[in-house]
Amino acid sequence: KAGVTQTPRYLIKTRGQQVTLSCSPISGHRSVSWYQQTPGQGLQFLFEYFSETQRNKGNFPGRFSGRQFSNSRSEMNVSTLELGDSALYLCASLDPGQGRNEQFFGPGTRLTVL
Amino acid sequence: SQQGEEDPQALSIQEGENATMNCSYKTSINNLQWYRQNSGRGLVHLILIRSNEREKHSGRLRVTLDTSKKSSSLLITASRAADTASYFCAPNQAGTALIFGKGTTLSVSS
């Protein structure tokens, strides 16, 4: 099976712009989670989607949003970008239907906000 | 959801030595997972230990879980330079998201 893919891998934006990141989970995985990783704050949970519904949510402002499509692909959007949004954004998928809890991570999208 | 806290924050050892890192958490769990992250890349799942298990092995990895102390440890035996990475624990409750701590950064020098 192909692994989790994320596009784009690198992105440079300026303050005030918005950005959309994409994540394609492993085939058959219906849960997708998003994380933000920065040197200062570490790895922080953004949200989790399961079967097109947001199931869990972290403590991020409303500028961060996401969605999941019927094919389980997920997108996250960040509006009105701030310098502090510069980070590695990781998505992870799992298949809870098999009673397994291991998450499979993509390579990440490196976002730089200038 | 709850976050694990890894200790130490950083660990430097020589090749061939063993590396031990610890994880503490606050409330009851269904399982606890360990992940590895090489610099700037995605996390890779290493091992999962269920709340009713006390010890688990996978290759050079040995994980222990003490639910009474709410702690876990990850032992990497005979470390190699390729083990240089950050290691994260994730205590997991059913139906909740995996939350990661700041991790332990392991540096193995040859």
Side-chain angles (χ1 to χ4, degrees):
Chain A
K1 279 184 179 177
V4 178
T5 58
Q6 292 188 245
T7 57
R9 292 292 312 278
Y10 301 91
L11 203 50
I12 299 176
K13 291 285 188 179
T14 56
R15 278 181 298 174
Q17 287 187 311
Q18 74 159 12
V19 67
T20 300
L21 312 182
S22 179
C23 172
S24 292
I26 290 173
S27 177
H29 286 195
R30 291 183 295 156
S31 166
V32 173
S33 295
W34 288 90
Y35 295 85
Q36 180 198 66
Q37 187 174 33
T38 60
Q41 298 298 319
L43 194 58
Q44 294 187 285
F45 170 73
L46 281 154
F47 28 65
E48 179 200 5
Y49 285 87
F50 177 76
S51 293
E52 303 180 66
T53 301
Q54 189 179 85
R55 185 160 73 168
N56 288 293
K57 187 177 186 305
N59 190 26
F60 274 79
R63 299 185 299 108
F64 292 82
S65 63
R67 60 178 175 168
Q68 187 179 33
F69 302 95
S70 58
N71 62 357
S72 293
R73 189 178 70 86
S74 178
E75 289 182 347
M76 69 161 281
N77 184 77
V78 187
S79 62
T80 318
L81 284 166
E82 301 176 359
L83 295 179
D85 296 333
S86 293
L88 180 66
Y89 289 88
L90 295 165
C91 82
S93 75
L94 70 90
D95 181 10
Q98 291 188 352
R100 301 178 69 87
N101 301 107
E102 301 98 304
Q103 287 195 332
F104 295 83
F105 281 78
T109 293
R110 173 75 63 183
L111 171 65
T112 301
V113 182
L114 302 175
Chain B
S1 304
Q2 66 171 309
Q3 179 177 318
E5 286 189 25
E6 296 90 349
D7 175 71
Q9 288 188 340
L11 183 59
S12 293
I13 60 174
Q14 299 284 320
E15 265 193 329
E17 294 181 335
N18 295 342
T20 299
M21 49 205 88
N22 304 295
C23 171
S24 60
Y25 57 92
K26 289 184 167 50
T27 63
S28 62
I29 58 173
N30 288 92
N31 64 73
L32 186 141
Q33 303 176 39
W34 286 91
Y35 288 78
R36 183 188 76 230
Q37 183 182 35
N38 291 91
S39 181
R41 306 185 68 173
L43 279 70
V44 174
H45 180 266
L46 293 176
I47 197 165
L48 179 153
I49 186 166
R50 300 190 189 283
S51 59
N52 61 353
E53 297 175 312
R54 290 297 166 258
E55 187 171 312
K56 202 162 181 180
H57 296 253
S58 177
R60 294 184 296 111
L61 305 180
R62 173 179 164 249
V63 168
T64 61
L65 179 64
D66 187 334
T67 53
S68 66
K69 294 182 179 177
K70 294 185 172 55
S71 67
S72 174
S73 68
L74 171 67
L75 168 68
I76 304 173
T77 59
S79 295
R80 307 165 181 168
D83 295 326
T84 295
S86 293
Y87 292 81
F88 298 88
C89 72
N92 188 225
Q93 298 161 306
T96 64
L98 279 187
I99 306 294
F100 297 91
K102 295 203 183 291
T104 292
T105 300
L106 173 65
S107 178
V108 182
S109 53
S110 53

